């Protein structure tokens, strides 16, 4: 029987890349939940982080060089777990709520993802807005994100 982590890692992005912005985010959230909630080996954690980074736009990946990305992510996840936190729920915008637009010759998609985090029997929610950009191969890649309250959309 495969563990949750092994199942999530088994996806071959070269032959089975998510076809839409929503599907990219669903897979990214599966990877994120595994990193933050599951007891992973160091190798599994690194493999999850590498898979997540494969969903990044080239510019975002360039600003998150693999070595420093792994160090920062390991620290962030360790702090999250040390506080007794757990991601209990993730919700992603409905396909009809994805905002598609063109800018500077690129196709973009913007969508919201909500997180519910449990911490010592308390829960709190956070909403982030993700921006994805279509690459030359037609794949939607994560270009960046921020908390919803910091994002102005006209």
């Amino acid at each position: 029987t495969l563990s949750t982590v092994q199942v999530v890692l088994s996806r071959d992005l070269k032959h089975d890349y998510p076809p839409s912005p929503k599907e990219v985010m669903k897979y990214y959230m599966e990877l994120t939940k595994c990193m933050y909630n599951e007891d992973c080996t160091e190798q599994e954690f690194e493999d999850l982080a590498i898979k997540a980074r494969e969903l990044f736009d080239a510019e975002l990946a360039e600003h998150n060089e693999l070595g420093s990305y792994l160090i920062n992510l390991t620290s962030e996840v360790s702090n999250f777990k040390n506080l007794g936190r757990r991601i209990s729920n993730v919700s992603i915008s409905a396909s009809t709520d994805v905002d598609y637009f063109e800018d500077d010759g690129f196709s973009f998609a913007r969508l919201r993802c909500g997180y519910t985090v449990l911490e010592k029997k308390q829960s709190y929610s956070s909403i982030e807005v993700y921006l994805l950009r279509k690459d030359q191969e037609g794949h939607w890649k994560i270009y960046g994100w921020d908390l919803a309250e910091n994002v102005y959309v006209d």
Side-chain angles (χ1 to χ4, degrees):
T1 307
L2 294 176
S3 70
T4 302
V5 172
Q6 291 167 331
V7 169
V8 171
L9 283 173
S10 69
R11 184 169 193 159
D12 179 0
L13 291 176
K14 291 195 187 339
H15 298 100
D16 185 24
Y17 195 86
S20 69
K22 183 173 178 165
E23 292 300 316
V24 169
M25 292 312 305
K26 280 174 68 175
Y27 185 57
Y28 183 72
M29 292 304 138
E30 288 177 21
L31 292 163
T32 300
K33 282 182 77 172
C34 283
M35 286 185 277
Y36 282 79
N37 288 356
E38 302 296 327
D39 291 324
C40 306
T41 66
E42 273 186 53
Q43 186 61 56
E44 285 174 331
F45 185 85
E46 187 172 320
D47 291 345
L48 288 164
I50 289 168
K51 271 287 192 209
R53 202 167 163 275
E54 286 179 46
L55 299 174
F56 287 5
D57 180 88
E59 285 186 41
L60 182 60
E62 187 178 303
H63 291 343
N64 287 278
E65 179 273 322
L66 182 59
S68 58
Y69 173 68
L70 284 170
I71 290 167
N72 293 337
L73 186 60
T74 300
S75 174
E76 183 180 305
V77 170
S78 179
N79 289 338
F80 184 87
K81 288 181 175 184
N82 287 339
L83 291 169
R85 293 180 178 160
R86 181 172 181 75
I87 299 171
S88 66
N89 188 40
V90 175
S91 61
I92 301 168
S93 297
S95 297
T96 55
D97 293 332
V98 177
D99 177 27
Y100 293 94
F101 61 97
E102 302 284 323
D103 189 30
D104 203 21
F106 292 101
S107 296
F108 288 93
R110 184 176 22 237
L111 63 156
R112 299 166 92 76
C113 293
Y115 300 87
T116 303
V117 175
L118 294 177
E119 181 180 354
K120 299 175 185 153
K121 298 185 183 181
Q122 296 283 90
S123 71
Y124 62 90
S125 297
S126 175
I127 298 174
E128 293 184 346
V129 175
Y130 284 81
L131 185 63
L132 288 82
R133 180 167 74 169
K134 194 179 272 193
D135 70 8
Q136 293 176 337
E137 296 171 16
H139 295 147
W140 289 101
K141 299 283 191 158
I142 299 169
Y143 189 67
W145 64 88
D146 202 348
L147 291 172
E149 63 255 24
N150 297 337
V151 177
Y152 172 77
V153 179
D154 55 357

